mmCIF file of all heavy atoms in Angstrom:
data_model
loop_
_atom_site.group_PDB
_atom_site.id
_atom_site.type_symbol
_atom_site.label_atom_id
_atom_site.label_comp_id
_atom_site.label_asym_id
_atom_site.label_seq_id
_atom_site.Cartn_x
_atom_site.Cartn_y
_atom_site.Cartn_z
ATOM 1 N N HIS M 1 46.732 56.348 115.426
ATOM 2 C CA HIS M 1 45.439 55.959 115.443
ATOM 3 C C HIS M 1 44.671 56.733 116.629
ATOM 4 O O HIS M 1 44.063 56.097 117.455
ATOM 5 C CB HIS M 1 45.206 54.444 115.717
ATOM 6 C CG HIS M 1 45.752 53.656 114.485
ATOM 7 N ND1 HIS M 1 47.132 53.419 114.292
ATOM 8 C CD2 HIS M 1 45.078 53.127 113.513
ATOM 9 C CE1 HIS M 1 47.239 52.762 113.242
ATOM 10 N NE2 HIS M 1 46.045 52.501 112.646
ATOM 11 N N TRP M 2 44.772 58.066 116.659
ATOM 12 C CA TRP M 2 44.169 58.850 117.634
ATOM 13 C C TRP M 2 42.698 58.779 117.731
ATOM 14 O O TRP M 2 42.067 59.038 118.713
ATOM 15 C CB TRP M 2 44.470 60.395 117.441
ATOM 16 C CG TRP M 2 44.029 60.773 115.966
ATOM 17 C CD1 TRP M 2 44.738 60.847 114.846
ATOM 18 C CD2 TRP M 2 42.761 61.300 115.747
ATOM 19 N NE1 TRP M 2 43.994 61.370 113.875
ATOM 20 C CE2 TRP M 2 42.755 61.612 114.378
ATOM 21 C CE3 TRP M 2 41.548 61.506 116.455
ATOM 22 C CZ2 TRP M 2 41.614 62.169 113.722
ATOM 23 C CZ3 TRP M 2 40.406 62.010 115.827
ATOM 24 C CH2 TRP M 2 40.430 62.353 114.410
ATOM 25 N N TYR M 3 42.076 58.263 116.765
ATOM 26 C CA TYR M 3 40.576 58.201 116.621
ATOM 27 C C TYR M 3 39.973 56.883 117.204
ATOM 28 O O TYR M 3 38.780 56.729 117.339
ATOM 29 C CB TYR M 3 40.102 58.303 115.248
ATOM 30 C CG TYR M 3 40.874 57.417 114.342
ATOM 31 C CD1 TYR M 3 40.543 56.063 114.131
ATOM 32 C CD2 TYR M 3 42.020 57.932 113.588
ATOM 33 C CE1 TYR M 3 41.331 55.259 113.302
ATOM 34 C CE2 TYR M 3 42.728 57.042 112.780
ATOM 35 C CZ TYR M 3 42.409 55.708 112.625
ATOM 36 O OH TYR M 3 43.189 54.953 111.840
ATOM 37 N N LYS M 4 40.811 55.911 117.621
ATOM 38 C CA LYS M 4 40.409 54.694 118.133
ATOM 39 C C LYS M 4 39.728 54.939 119.576
ATOM 40 O O LYS M 4 40.169 55.598 120.446
ATOM 41 C CB LYS M 4 41.617 53.676 118.329
ATOM 42 C CG LYS M 4 42.280 53.249 117.132
ATOM 43 C CD LYS M 4 41.322 52.301 116.299
ATOM 44 C CE LYS M 4 42.154 51.686 115.131
ATOM 45 N NZ LYS M 4 41.252 50.680 114.443
ATOM 46 N N GLU M 5 38.534 54.317 119.709
ATOM 47 C CA GLU M 5 37.832 54.495 121.021
ATOM 48 C C GLU M 5 37.845 53.069 121.672
ATOM 49 O O GLU M 5 37.387 52.080 121.084
ATOM 50 C CB GLU M 5 36.374 54.801 120.754
ATOM 51 C CG GLU M 5 36.159 56.161 120.172
ATOM 52 C CD GLU M 5 34.710 56.603 119.959
ATOM 53 O OE1 GLU M 5 34.017 56.696 120.972
ATOM 54 O OE2 GLU M 5 34.298 56.591 118.741
ATOM 55 N N SER M 6 38.577 52.997 122.794
ATOM 56 C CA SER M 6 38.627 51.779 123.592
ATOM 57 C C SER M 6 37.508 51.736 124.555
ATOM 58 O O SER M 6 37.175 52.740 125.205
ATOM 59 C CB SER M 6 40.035 51.666 124.260
ATOM 60 O OG SER M 6 40.181 52.836 125.080
ATOM 61 N N THR M 7 36.913 50.595 124.596
ATOM 62 C CA THR M 7 35.781 50.369 125.553
ATOM 63 C C THR M 7 36.094 49.310 126.580
ATOM 64 O O THR M 7 36.903 48.415 126.358
ATOM 65 C CB THR M 7 34.496 49.943 124.812
ATOM 66 O OG1 THR M 7 34.790 48.758 124.102
ATOM 67 C CG2 THR M 7 34.051 50.976 123.813
ATOM 68 N N ILE M 8 35.490 49.476 127.803
ATOM 69 C CA ILE M 8 35.662 48.558 128.862
ATOM 70 C C ILE M 8 34.534 48.441 129.707
ATOM 71 O O ILE M 8 33.743 49.505 129.880
ATOM 72 C CB ILE M 8 36.998 48.996 129.685
ATOM 73 C CG1 ILE M 8 37.363 47.831 130.690
ATOM 74 C CG2 ILE M 8 36.723 50.243 130.366
ATOM 75 C CD1 ILE M 8 38.679 48.050 131.369
ATOM 76 N N ASN M 9 34.273 47.328 130.276
ATOM 77 C CA ASN M 9 33.148 47.086 131.140
ATOM 78 C C ASN M 9 33.623 47.212 132.629
ATOM 79 O O ASN M 9 34.328 46.247 133.091
ATOM 80 C CB ASN M 9 32.397 45.747 130.895
ATOM 81 C CG ASN M 9 31.171 45.594 131.713
ATOM 82 O OD1 ASN M 9 30.945 46.316 132.682
ATOM 83 N ND2 ASN M 9 30.269 44.735 131.322
ATOM 84 N N PRO M 10 33.362 48.285 133.326
ATOM 85 C CA PRO M 10 33.967 48.430 134.625
ATOM 86 C C PRO M 10 33.547 47.308 135.619
ATOM 87 O O PRO M 10 34.202 47.054 136.579
ATOM 88 C CB PRO M 10 33.351 49.779 135.160
ATOM 89 C CG PRO M 10 33.012 50.518 133.854
ATOM 90 C CD PRO M 10 32.550 49.404 132.886
ATOM 91 N N GLY M 11 32.398 46.731 135.389
ATOM 92 C CA GLY M 11 31.860 45.644 136.274
ATOM 93 C C GLY M 11 32.591 44.369 136.152
ATOM 94 O O GLY M 11 32.695 43.561 137.032
ATOM 95 N N THR M 12 33.056 44.070 134.973
ATOM 96 C CA THR M 12 33.809 42.659 134.782
ATOM 97 C C THR M 12 35.333 42.777 134.504
ATOM 98 O O THR M 12 36.017 41.841 134.546
ATOM 99 C CB THR M 12 33.165 41.988 133.469
ATOM 100 O OG1 THR M 12 33.295 42.906 132.418
ATOM 101 C CG2 THR M 12 31.653 41.820 133.793
ATOM 102 N N ALA M 13 35.772 43.995 134.261
ATOM 103 C CA ALA M 13 37.168 44.278 133.925
ATOM 104 C C ALA M 13 38.101 44.080 135.137
ATOM 105 O O ALA M 13 37.679 44.413 136.265
ATOM 106 C CB ALA M 13 37.425 45.642 133.336
ATOM 107 N N THR M 14 39.219 43.357 134.922
ATOM 108 C CA THR M 14 40.187 43.152 136.033
ATOM 109 C C THR M 14 40.881 44.451 136.162
ATOM 110 O O THR M 14 40.883 45.420 135.474
ATOM 111 C CB THR M 14 41.134 41.952 135.708
ATOM 112 O OG1 THR M 14 41.898 42.357 134.454
ATOM 113 C CG2 THR M 14 40.288 40.745 135.356
ATOM 114 N N GLU M 15 41.763 44.415 137.273
ATOM 115 C CA GLU M 15 42.511 45.640 137.567
ATOM 116 C C GLU M 15 43.577 45.881 136.483
ATOM 117 O O GLU M 15 43.812 46.930 136.017
ATOM 118 C CB GLU M 15 43.191 45.410 138.891
ATOM 119 C CG GLU M 15 44.141 46.650 139.333
ATOM 120 C CD GLU M 15 44.747 46.557 140.739
ATOM 121 O OE1 GLU M 15 44.456 45.361 141.354
ATOM 122 O OE2 GLU M 15 45.518 47.368 140.985
ATOM 123 N N SER M 16 44.136 44.751 135.932
ATOM 124 C CA SER M 16 45.262 44.934 134.900
ATOM 125 C C SER M 16 44.518 45.450 133.599
ATOM 126 O O SER M 16 45.109 46.261 132.897
ATOM 127 C CB SER M 16 45.876 43.595 134.625
ATOM 128 O OG SER M 16 44.939 42.643 134.184
ATOM 129 N N GLU M 17 43.272 44.994 133.343
ATOM 130 C CA GLU M 17 42.621 45.533 132.138
ATOM 131 C C GLU M 17 42.194 46.900 132.285
ATOM 132 O O GLU M 17 42.328 47.619 131.274
ATOM 133 C CB GLU M 17 41.391 44.671 131.946
ATOM 134 C CG GLU M 17 41.630 43.171 131.504
ATOM 135 C CD GLU M 17 40.346 42.318 131.409
ATOM 136 O OE1 GLU M 17 39.389 42.651 132.123
ATOM 137 O OE2 GLU M 17 40.356 41.348 130.585
ATOM 138 N N THR M 18 41.884 47.291 133.425
ATOM 139 C CA THR M 18 41.500 48.680 133.708
ATOM 140 C C THR M 18 42.714 49.622 133.545
ATOM 141 O O THR M 18 42.614 50.606 132.957
ATOM 142 C CB THR M 18 40.839 48.708 135.147
ATOM 143 O OG1 THR M 18 39.757 48.045 135.214
ATOM 144 C CG2 THR M 18 40.564 50.369 135.316
ATOM 145 N N ASN M 19 43.820 49.165 134.169
ATOM 146 C CA ASN M 19 45.016 49.927 133.949
ATOM 147 C C ASN M 19 45.530 50.091 132.586
ATOM 148 O O ASN M 19 45.851 51.172 132.128
ATOM 149 C CB ASN M 19 46.084 49.269 134.858
ATOM 150 C CG ASN M 19 45.889 49.363 136.392
ATOM 151 O OD1 ASN M 19 45.160 50.323 136.792
ATOM 152 N ND2 ASN M 19 46.516 48.485 137.114
ATOM 153 N N LYS M 20 45.364 49.015 131.848
ATOM 154 C CA LYS M 20 45.742 48.967 130.448
ATOM 155 C C LYS M 20 44.832 49.938 129.536
ATOM 156 O O LYS M 20 45.293 50.778 128.763
ATOM 157 C CB LYS M 20 45.718 47.663 129.794
ATOM 158 C CG LYS M 20 46.061 47.517 128.301
ATOM 159 C CD LYS M 20 46.031 46.150 127.769
ATOM 160 C CE LYS M 20 46.339 46.086 126.261
ATOM 161 N NZ LYS M 20 46.338 44.682 125.775
ATOM 162 N N HIS M 21 43.489 49.930 129.902
ATOM 163 C CA HIS M 21 42.620 50.798 129.304
ATOM 164 C C HIS M 21 42.853 52.281 129.638
ATOM 165 O O HIS M 21 42.900 53.074 128.672
ATOM 166 C CB HIS M 21 41.159 50.447 129.817
ATOM 167 C CG HIS M 21 40.169 51.488 129.479
ATOM 168 N ND1 HIS M 21 39.601 51.613 128.153
ATOM 169 C CD2 HIS M 21 39.508 52.449 130.184
ATOM 170 C CE1 HIS M 21 38.709 52.595 128.073
ATOM 171 N NE2 HIS M 21 38.646 53.131 129.307
ATOM 172 N N ASN M 22 43.292 52.551 130.846
ATOM 173 C CA ASN M 22 43.565 53.895 131.204
ATOM 174 C C ASN M 22 44.822 54.436 130.565
ATOM 175 O O ASN M 22 44.918 55.521 130.135
ATOM 176 C CB ASN M 22 43.732 54.030 132.785
ATOM 177 C CG ASN M 22 42.394 53.872 133.544
ATOM 178 O OD1 ASN M 22 41.408 53.950 132.911
ATOM 179 N ND2 ASN M 22 42.444 53.382 134.720
ATOM 180 N N GLU M 23 45.829 53.618 130.433
ATOM 181 C CA GLU M 23 47.026 53.917 129.723
ATOM 182 C C GLU M 23 46.832 54.247 128.116
ATOM 183 O O GLU M 23 47.276 55.132 127.596
ATOM 184 C CB GLU M 23 48.092 52.767 129.853
ATOM 185 C CG GLU M 23 48.595 52.661 131.247
ATOM 186 C CD GLU M 23 49.565 51.450 131.364
ATOM 187 O OE1 GLU M 23 49.811 50.889 130.447
ATOM 188 O OE2 GLU M 23 50.114 51.273 132.520
ATOM 189 N N GLU M 24 46.027 53.384 127.643
ATOM 190 C CA GLU M 24 45.623 53.455 126.180
ATOM 191 C C GLU M 24 44.793 54.797 126.008
ATOM 192 O O GLU M 24 45.056 55.595 124.987
ATOM 193 C CB GLU M 24 44.828 52.289 125.674
ATOM 194 C CG GLU M 24 45.678 51.091 125.569
ATOM 195 C CD GLU M 24 44.867 49.805 125.061
ATOM 196 O OE1 GLU M 24 43.636 50.032 124.975
ATOM 197 O OE2 GLU M 24 45.385 48.859 124.746
ATOM 198 N N ALA M 25 43.921 55.001 126.900
ATOM 199 C CA ALA M 25 43.200 56.323 126.716
ATOM 200 C C ALA M 25 43.946 57.510 126.865
ATOM 201 O O ALA M 25 43.737 58.433 126.226
ATOM 202 C CB ALA M 25 41.962 56.258 127.888
ATOM 203 N N ALA M 26 44.967 57.405 127.845
ATOM 204 C CA ALA M 26 45.841 58.611 128.067
ATOM 205 C C ALA M 26 46.753 58.782 126.699
ATOM 206 O O ALA M 26 46.922 59.999 126.306
ATOM 207 C CB ALA M 26 46.726 58.367 129.313
ATOM 208 N N THR M 27 47.167 57.669 126.077
ATOM 209 C CA THR M 27 47.983 57.791 124.953
ATOM 210 C C THR M 27 47.097 58.447 123.800
ATOM 211 O O THR M 27 47.595 59.272 123.135
ATOM 212 C CB THR M 27 48.480 56.458 124.505
ATOM 213 O OG1 THR M 27 49.356 55.939 125.610
ATOM 214 C CG2 THR M 27 49.336 56.507 123.333
ATOM 215 N N ARG M 28 45.880 57.923 123.634
ATOM 216 C CA ARG M 28 45.108 58.373 122.619
ATOM 217 C C ARG M 28 44.800 59.931 122.809
ATOM 218 O O ARG M 28 44.689 60.700 121.826
ATOM 219 C CB ARG M 28 43.702 57.619 122.570
ATOM 220 C CG ARG M 28 43.871 56.190 122.270
ATOM 221 C CD ARG M 28 44.335 55.857 120.973
ATOM 222 N NE ARG M 28 44.299 54.457 120.633
ATOM 223 C CZ ARG M 28 45.291 53.745 119.958
ATOM 224 N NH1 ARG M 28 46.265 54.459 119.453
ATOM 225 N NH2 ARG M 28 45.192 52.514 119.689
ATOM 226 N N ASN M 29 44.452 60.185 124.080
ATOM 227 C CA ASN M 29 44.209 61.671 124.321
ATOM 228 C C ASN M 29 45.372 62.531 123.969
ATOM 229 O O ASN M 29 45.273 63.666 123.390
ATOM 230 C CB ASN M 29 43.816 61.922 125.761
ATOM 231 C CG ASN M 29 43.394 63.218 126.151
ATOM 232 O OD1 ASN M 29 42.535 63.796 125.540
ATOM 233 N ND2 ASN M 29 44.050 63.885 127.110
ATOM 234 N N ALA M 30 46.592 62.118 124.357
ATOM 235 C CA ALA M 30 47.827 62.863 123.944
ATOM 236 C C ALA M 30 48.018 62.986 122.500
ATOM 237 O O ALA M 30 48.358 64.055 121.884
ATOM 238 C CB ALA M 30 48.987 62.294 124.635
ATOM 239 N N GLN M 31 47.753 61.859 121.693
ATOM 240 C CA GLN M 31 47.859 61.827 120.259
ATOM 241 C C GLN M 31 46.817 62.808 119.651
ATOM 242 O O GLN M 31 47.068 63.523 118.792
ATOM 243 C CB GLN M 31 47.591 60.468 119.731
ATOM 244 C CG GLN M 31 48.759 59.567 120.049
ATOM 245 C CD GLN M 31 48.455 58.074 119.623
ATOM 246 O OE1 GLN M 31 47.264 57.781 119.505
ATOM 247 N NE2 GLN M 31 49.517 57.298 119.549
#
């Protein structure tokens, strides 16, 4: 699912949510 776009609100996201978002974004980019 390389085409999936994950969104996150930097103002309300927790640190764990931000880390998860960054990991998913890196995976999607590699795919």
Side-chain angles (χ1 to χ4, degrees):
H1 294 80
W2 56 266
Y3 47 83
K4 293 287 187 179
E5 296 182 67
S6 56
T7 58
I8 189 173
N9 188 340
T12 60
T14 64
E15 183 178 355
S16 61
E17 289 174 339
T18 301
N19 291 337
K20 182 179 179 181
H21 168 76
N22 292 337
E23 291 176 359
E24 291 178 349
T27 300
R28 299 292 185 222
N29 185 55
Q31 291 174 342

